[in-house]
Each structure stands twice: as C-alpha cells, then as structure tokens.
Amino acid sequence: MTRWRFPLLFLLTLSAIYLYMYPAATIIYGVGVLFHTAAGILLAILLIPILRQVFRDCSLEIRFGWLLIAVGTLFGLVLIKIGTPNRFRFWLYLHIALCAAGVLLVGTSWLTRRGWLGKGFAGASARFAILCLVMAGIAAGSWWTRNVAWKNSSRVVNPHMPMETMDGEGDGPFGKFFPSSAQTRDGKNIPAKYFMQSQACERCHSDIYKQWNSSAHHFSSFNNQWYRKSIEYMQDVAGVKSSKWCAGCHDPALLFSGMFDTPIRQIENTPAARAGLSCMMCHSIVEVKSTMGQGDFVLEYPKLHELAASENPVMRALHDFMVKVNPEPHRRTFLKPFMREQTAEFCSGCHKVHLDVPVNKYRWVRGFNEYDNWQASGVSGQGARSFYYPANSMMCADCHMPLLPSKDEGNINGFVHSHRFPGANTAVPTANEDPVQLAQSVNFLKDKQVTVDVFGISPAEKEITHPAPSPLANGQELSTTFAVGEEADVTSPQGPKGEARPITAPLGRVQASVRRGDDYLVDVVVRTRKVGHFFPGGTVDAFDVWLELQATDEKGQILFWSGKVEDDGKGPVEPGAHFYRSQQIDAHGNVINKRNAWSNRAVVYVHLIPPGAADAVHFHMHIPENAGEKINLHAKLNYRKFMWYNTQFSYAGEEDTTQPKGATTPDYDDRKFDFHGETSGVAGALKRIPDLPIITVAEDTKTVSVLLAKDPAPAPSAVAVKEDWMRWNDYGIGLFLQNDFKGAEAAFTKATEADPNNFDGWVNIGRVRTQEGDTAGAFKVLDKALSLKPNLARANYFYARDLKEEGKYDEAIAKLQSVLQQYPRDRVVRNELGRIYFLQKKYSDAVKEFEVTLGIDPEDLQAHYNLMLCYNGLGDDAKAEAHKIRYLRYKADESAQAITGPYRQNHPEDNNERQSIHEHVSVALNPAKPVAPKAQKSANSLKKSANGRSNGSTATSGKD
C-alpha cells in the first residue's frame, strides 16, 4: 500500500491549495473538504507502514520530510476533531506549514532520484531552490487570491452618476420590491422561511443570537407596534405598493418572498410578519451598490443554507461538521469584507433614505441620514473642517456593536461584536417588558454621549427680544427633512450677526449674582462628545428630545420651568421647550406626527447638533421679589422615544367620529383622532398604551446668589483660565452655529486668552471672520494658528477661502491641495477647489474635482450644479443637461416654505424655535409668583396643544 503514498500526497497537496485559494459554500467545495478530510485520515492510517519503509530504505532528507508530514497529519487529525475556528487558527497554519515543509523535502528527494538538474551539491541546491521558489509562488498566489482578490471584489463603490428619477433605482417601477432599491442576485423571490430561521445560528453563535433576540433589529417589523401602525396608516392612505419603500429595510421575510403585495392587515400577525431583521437579512447582503441608501443593496439566497436549517439530523450534522472543519466558506457567505472594512458604507444601505414620487407623490426629499454627516465629520477621519476630532477615527460598529466577552464560535480573542446594537431605542424594550435590553439602551444614552453645561448668565431686557425672521435656507440647499452639517458648505451669513452680550461665565468658576425684580438670560451649552452623527439621529420627526431648565430656591419654590412635561411627566412636553427634532407639516399645515414622512411638504425647523459640536440655548428668566437667597439652575437633556402623540396614536389612535369628517389624501390628512382604540391586539408584551421612560441623557446644576432689588446691579465677570478653554470654545461653537458671529468671536477670544497655545481658538475666530467676509482679520488669526501648527488642515481651508475672496486663486489652490493631501475625501474642500478652477476657466480640471466629489456622494448638490456650469463652459450640452436634471431633482422646493406661514402664525412656539437665535420662557407657575413675560401665553398654548399639535386631535389620559 505504501506505493500509493506519493499519489495520495500529491492529491492532498492539490486539494489543500484549492481549499485555501477558493473557499466557497458550493457543493464542489464541500466535496473537496470531505475528500481532503478522508484522504488525510487515510494517510494517517498508512503512516506506520510508510514511516517503517522510509526509515529503512530512504535518505535522511526524505526521512525528515515524511516525519514533518506525519506530525502535520497528526495536527490535522486533531483539527478534524476540534475544528478550525479563529481561536485555533495558529494550529491550522502550523499544520499547513509542517505539511508544506515536508512536501518540499519529499518533492526535492523525488526529483533527485530522477536525476533532474544533475547530481552533486550544485544540482541538489538548484532543485531545492527551484522548489522553494515554486512553493513560495504558489503560496503568494494563493494568499493573494484568498485575501486581496476577495476583498477587492467586495467593495462599496459609488456610481459615477445617479439616476434621473427614482424609476431608475433598484429594479424600477415594474420590479418586485420597488420603490425600495433592494434587489436579489437572480431577480427572484427568496422564501420567507429563510429569514425566519435565525435560531439555527444559535447552535454556534449562542451569545450573538441571544443579543439579537432582544435587539431593535429583531423588532423592526410588525412585532413593533409603532412600525405596525405606521404601515397600516400608510397603506390606508397611500396604498400598498408605496409602503414597500419601508419594507426593504424592515420586512425582509414579507418583501423578498412576495407576501408584501398583500394588504398588511391581512398578514401582520403571521410569523413572517414578526421575523424582523433576522440574521439572514444583513448577512445575506452580497453587494452594496452605493452610499445613497434606501436599501441600495443586493441579497443572495445561498441554497446550502437548507443544510444548516434542515430538520434532518444527519444533514444538519454534516453541515455543522464541514463548518467546524473549515468555517471559511460559511464566513465568506455571511460576512463580506465590506461589513468589516466599510462598515459605515454597509450601514448606509438602511440608515440613509430618500423619498420620491413613487413614495410621496411629490418629489425627491432626503429623509434621515446618519451616513453623510458621519462621513464629513472628524469622527470618520475624513472631514477636514471639524471643530473637534476624536483620538482615533470611528465607524458605526465602534459605538453600536461594542466588543463583548464570548466563547461563541467565531469569536476573536474571546470577544464578539454585540448584536444588541445598543442605541437610543427605549420604546421597544419597554413594550416588550425586556429590562435587560432597556438597561442597555439607557446606559448607552447616559454614557457621556452628550454633555450639558449651565454656562453663563447675563442681564436681559424686560421685553423678550424677537430677532428678525431667519430663513431655513440661504442660496442653494438640498431638499431635506434632516439637518445638513459638514457635508455641505455655508458660504455667506444666514442670519443676524448678533451682538456680544456682557456675560458672567463660566458658572462654577465664577460666582454669579442676580437681583430681585430683574430679568436674565441663562445660557446652557449642549455638546456632542461620543456621537458620530447628528444628535439625535434616526427618524427625528418622531422623538421627544428637549432641554429642560428648572430654577428653584432654597425654600423649594420653583421660579422658572421650561420643558415641563404634563400629567406628572407622562404627557406631552410643553410646546415652548427647546426641542431637538425636525418639525414637518403636510400640504395643509398638519404636523407630521404619525410617521407619515411621505406626506411632508415643508419643514418648519430642524434642530440637531452635529458630531463634535455644540448648541447654545438661551432661557429668559425673571427673578421674582419673593425669591430666596440662592437659586439652583438645573438643566437636563431629556430623551423619550417616541413622542407622546405618536405613542398614543400607534396604540389606540382612531378617527374621532364626533368631529367633522376631514379630507384625506397622500398630501394631507385633515381628520381628527382620539386615543380610545382597543389595545388587546397590539404587538409586544404590553397590551396597553405604554408610559415611555424619559431618560436624562445629561444634566448640570449651577447656583447663583440673589441680591436685593435695591442693591447695585452685579457687574458681569468673564474669567478665562486654561481649565475652562473647552467650555468657552463650546459656547462659541453654539453661538457660531446660530449665526451669532459677534458673540461667537467674543467666546473664541476668551478661549485664546485661556490657552493662547491652543490653535483651535485662533482657527475658530478665523471661521467667524471668514463667514463675515473680514478676510484681513481672518488672515491675522489664521496665521497665528498656522504658526502653532503649520499643516493644520482646517486653518489652511479657511485661509484658502479668504484667498479666493481676494482673487488670489493660485495661492488658494495650493492651500486646498495641501488640505486634500491629508483629507482626500472631504467633498466640501473638493468642491471649493473645483469652483476655483471653474473661476479660472480651467473647466477640465474643475470637472475632475467635482467627479471625485460624486464618487464620495453621488447626490452632492453643489457638485451637480458646478458640473452643469463646467460642461456648459466646455460646450458639452448633453452632460450639462444631465447634471442640471440631477441638480433640480435634489434642490429644495423653495416655494414650499409658503405652507409654513399660516402654521407659524397659529403656533408661535414653533415660530420662535425656527429662529436661529431665540429665547425660551417659563411655563405658568404659581400665580403668586412673578414669572417671565409671555409665560402665561405659553401655558395657554400648552393647554391648547396637549396632544402635540396633532390636527386638533382629542387628547386622552392614555390609559385603557
């Protein structure tokens, strides 16, 4: 039998090379695994006679070779028993190395016996060297094919040009899944059962399965009452087909099986409707076609999964054995390179959306968008102009899939990424009565993601100042219901410059005093610290996120309260609070509060805080005569998912038949609703309207002293010490983003006084002066920043902007090119460089820059606008027209703002919130206690708006 040793060794070697180079979950590869395993066992059986003969008859060289093969074979037998997961990878490669070294020696001896390249030392050396080179070449080629070629074939790359209309996205209007952009590899349906077998994964990934089982991903579908009601409502008003827009990322079992063609009320209680985003949904995505979101990915149905989920124990055991022995095909089927290396681009498939005519019967509108502001920020490491940068760039999984200890198969060094996907969803675990998942969400929210600083206090007039109305947009703006941050540029002031107020700050460093009978502005700074996208993120028309300020004295009197919640903290938030949200209305001015984003026709305001930035909130407080000697100012950033009205509607909303019948179309809904519906059949464990928890994300308290009315007015005191550099800087950022440029410059100047060697203070003064058009003043402070750090990208960017304003184009180009060497994916810098080339009439150079921008974001409004101009300059009418079409598709409908006029007249609190610089007053308190002006009016508005300004709906207690 020993004569078969060389053919057997040759076949084992060939099969090993094949198995290493081309791991794939195919029948041929599976046969290869079984063959290699069986051949290895056979070789082990033959080892004793082989070694007996080799040590009796053969040379030292071949003896040593077969000894190495024998040891490697023994390791192979052990690996057949224990498998080759990540934690045993070392032993796998040791097995390969030993066998490869043995084959090298045996192969050299075999060639020697045949006299290849002659005899003697020279011939032996040549044979050994040539075989070494051949094996090295095979090893290198195998490694390249296995790793580099595999990764290169699975990358997220944006198209050069987006489609003209939504009809060109996905499979188009006649596609099975449209208007979702999602597709399947073969264009066919995928059985619903495929998405309902996550429990099969539990056999090897027990910890991950348990984490996912409680996660928001699991409860993305009709096992989530908020989502369930929104789709029922959407189909009632807008039809079934348009609701597939949601299903691409929420209901894979229904959409990809074809079940979603049935009206949802008929199937919402089926197991498929409650499957949620299963393991197989995310892990079956084989291609992400772009970062334009909206389900722009391709799924593949792996036939061999039926082995894993088989109810036949023999088939299931065979699958598990092959995965244990060689998990690489399984890993490659369900874990593509972009899932690890381009995590944010992978997540953008569902965490960035747009609506268009097939969905909203209106036009293209950007919905929520977590990707673009992350990509353009310092958090991604790709944005050149951020206020702050983390120590290391971060992707989605760094926050939302943290590493946890686990012994699951596939763990890496004893850790797996959490599949609880910790985030801000406190509603679903509340409805599911899942305290563990709720605690995860609460802890995540409170983990210093955002901080609050009661920063300063300054004298105020008795009458509240009303700044001139500020528009939502200035110049060209994207059509969006979301905020736009560093992914777009603001080239001119958008509102009043403001005035630098005399302020006492920072509180806690200085002891502030107030005088009875006087009015004051209390400035509170909210700063995003560990947030990689806007705060809050997600569907920001659906949450209650607000800043609350309460002033109390040592006698227990409440002297001021903005942000109070009715019904002892269970009802709606008073409408005069400072909210972080997108306030949208339909064509008749009804608030978008039923997750009916497809009816949005105008945005009243959007308040979100960019990553690594801040917001400054101003509270107008009156000090009553009966105030005590000390006042505690307690600020809280509160978070409630979902907003009070949406929860009431989702669980018990039904048309109020006692009110006149309102008209309903996809453009508007004039009906009145009350909240007396039956709740016994709602999704989730809780069969009543839940009282959703209000989470205090961050809070701060400062104390001020109270003087008598006859005492002299306290003088403002602004102190700058190094320890408070960041507090002044944050305050300046908040004012700057409100276009209070004078106040921002004063704050940034204080930051430079606190730490003259910190370049950011000087850069931020330069931002202000650049924005105001003061180029000479900007050069002065930017030169100071660059003297501290010559290659500072953000300083060079603003310097280039000022050089451009002075017509020094070549110098500006040099500055921008230095920025792009450090941050080549900052599309605002790219656009700025392209614009200067355009001004120089270097149209071809400009086109190259704008096309790079479109490679980062194919929907970039400025790039399409400027490419339209460039191609006009080049005389290419066809390309100019193509970009004009895209520009007009993405550009905001400016006329839509006319809809907000009547709404703002009827809702003064929202009109106030719309202004870039505005003040908040107290709700009505005890009538015996003087309160800030207009507080009574605010309280009356609160009573009128108890249901969250909900189309005149009838408010109830929210109890069954």
Side-chain angles (χ1 to χ4, degrees), residues 100 115 141 176 337 380 439 525 579 587 623 678 752 939 954 956:
K176 296 173 181 288
S380 70
V525 176
F579 289 99
I623 310 301
E678 175 60 44
T752 62
T954 304
T956 71

Side-chain angles (χ1 to χ4, degrees), residues 559-629:
L559 309 178
F560 180 94
W561 198 348
S562 174
K564 181 181 179 181
V565 181
E566 281 199 339
D567 193 18
D568 294 326
K570 298 178 181 179
V573 185
E574 60 105 349
H578 186 77
F579 289 99
Y580 294 102
R581 66 182 180 192
S582 173
Q583 186 76 330
Q584 306 163 30
I585 56 176
D586 67 20
H588 281 188
N590 303 304
V591 174
I592 302 298
N593 52 17
K594 296 179 280 295
R595 290 302 300 119
N596 51 325
W598 37 273
S599 289
N600 165 66
R601 295 297 179 267
V603 176
V604 180
Y605 67 83
V606 181
H607 276 173
L608 306 175
I609 309 176
D615 182 35
V617 188
H618 315 291
F619 296 96
H620 192 119
M621 181 175 68
H622 177 78
I623 310 301
E625 296 291 348
N626 64 344
E629 296 180 355

Side-chain angles (χ1 to χ4, degrees), residues 307-601:
L307 288 176
S310 174
E311 296 180 2
N312 184 318
V314 175
M315 290 294 100
R316 196 164 59 239
L318 178 63
H319 168 272
D320 290 353
F321 170 76
M322 288 195 295
V323 171
K324 183 179 75 170
V325 171
N326 187 352
E328 190 63 23
H330 177 79
R331 184 182 297 116
R332 293 195 174 205
T333 299
F334 295 114
L335 192 64
K336 297 295 186 285
F338 55 72
M339 297 178 184
R340 287 184 179 273
E341 299 180 7
Q342 292 179 286
T343 307
E345 287 72 19
F346 173 51
C347 296
S348 74
C350 283
H351 291 271
K352 176 181 176 181
V353 303
H354 59 266
L355 302 84
D356 211 331
V357 175
V359 181
N360 61 12
K361 310 296 190 292
Y362 174 42
R363 56 157 297 151
W364 189 95
V365 179
R366 164 70 66 225
F368 80 92
N369 179 4
E370 312 293 23
Y371 176 77
D372 284 348
N373 50 90
W374 167 84
Q375 186 276 322
S377 75
V379 178
S380 70
Q382 300 176 38
R385 298 155 293 110
S386 294
F387 292 106
Y388 292 109
Y389 290 78
N392 299 295
S393 61
M394 302 175 72
M395 294 191 295
C396 311
D398 293 317
C399 294
H400 297 290
M401 296 184 71
L403 290 173
L404 296 176
S406 175
K407 295 182 180 180
D408 277 3
E409 298 298 336
N411 76 76
I412 298 177
N413 300 322
F415 290 89
V416 298
H417 284 280
S418 173
H419 282 62
R420 285 187 181 275
F421 308 103
N425 195 323
T426 55
V428 166
T430 298
N432 291 339
E433 298 183 328
D434 185 345
V436 176
Q437 182 72 16
L438 178 60
Q440 289 276 330
S441 298
V442 171
N443 292 339
F444 180 85
L445 280 167
K446 297 170 75 73
D447 188 26
K448 299 180 180 178
Q449 308 288 348
V450 185
T451 57
V452 170
D453 180 12
V454 181
F455 179 76
I457 192 166
S458 56
E461 299 294 331
K462 294 290 184 184
E463 292 295 325
I464 295 177
T465 58
H466 296 283
S470 56
L472 275 181
N474 184 65
Q476 300 158 5
E477 187 192 23
L478 190 74
S479 174
T480 181
T481 62
F482 208 68
V484 177
E486 292 170 286
E487 66 268 29
D489 189 25
V490 178
T491 57
S492 61
Q494 294 188 0
K497 294 182 179 180
E499 296 180 0
R501 293 181 280 106
I503 188 172
T504 297
L507 297 182
R509 179 68 60 186
V510 296
Q511 179 57 52
S513 298
V514 295
R515 190 170 61 174
R516 293 188 179 98
D518 287 349
D519 284 30
Y520 293 88
L521 281 184
V522 178
D523 288 347
V524 180
V525 176
V526 182
R527 158 82 187 279
T528 50
R529 293 185 179 272
K530 294 169 62 177
V531 182
H533 45 71
F534 277 109
F535 175 84
T539 52
V540 290
D541 59 307
F543 312 152
D544 280 331
V545 186
W546 75 102
L547 184 65
E548 177 183 353
L549 180 69
Q550 189 179 81
T552 58
D553 63 14
E554 75 277 10
K555 296 184 287 185
Q557 298 182 106
I558 299 176
L559 309 178
F560 180 94
W561 198 348
S562 174
K564 181 181 179 181
V565 181
E566 281 199 339
D567 193 18
D568 294 326
K570 298 178 181 179
V573 185
E574 60 105 349
H578 186 77
F579 289 99
Y580 294 102
R581 66 182 180 192
S582 173
Q583 186 76 330
Q584 306 163 30
I585 56 176
D586 67 20
H588 281 188
N590 303 304
V591 174
I592 302 298
N593 52 17
K594 296 179 280 295
R595 290 302 300 119
N596 51 325
W598 37 273
S599 289
N600 165 66
R601 295 297 179 267

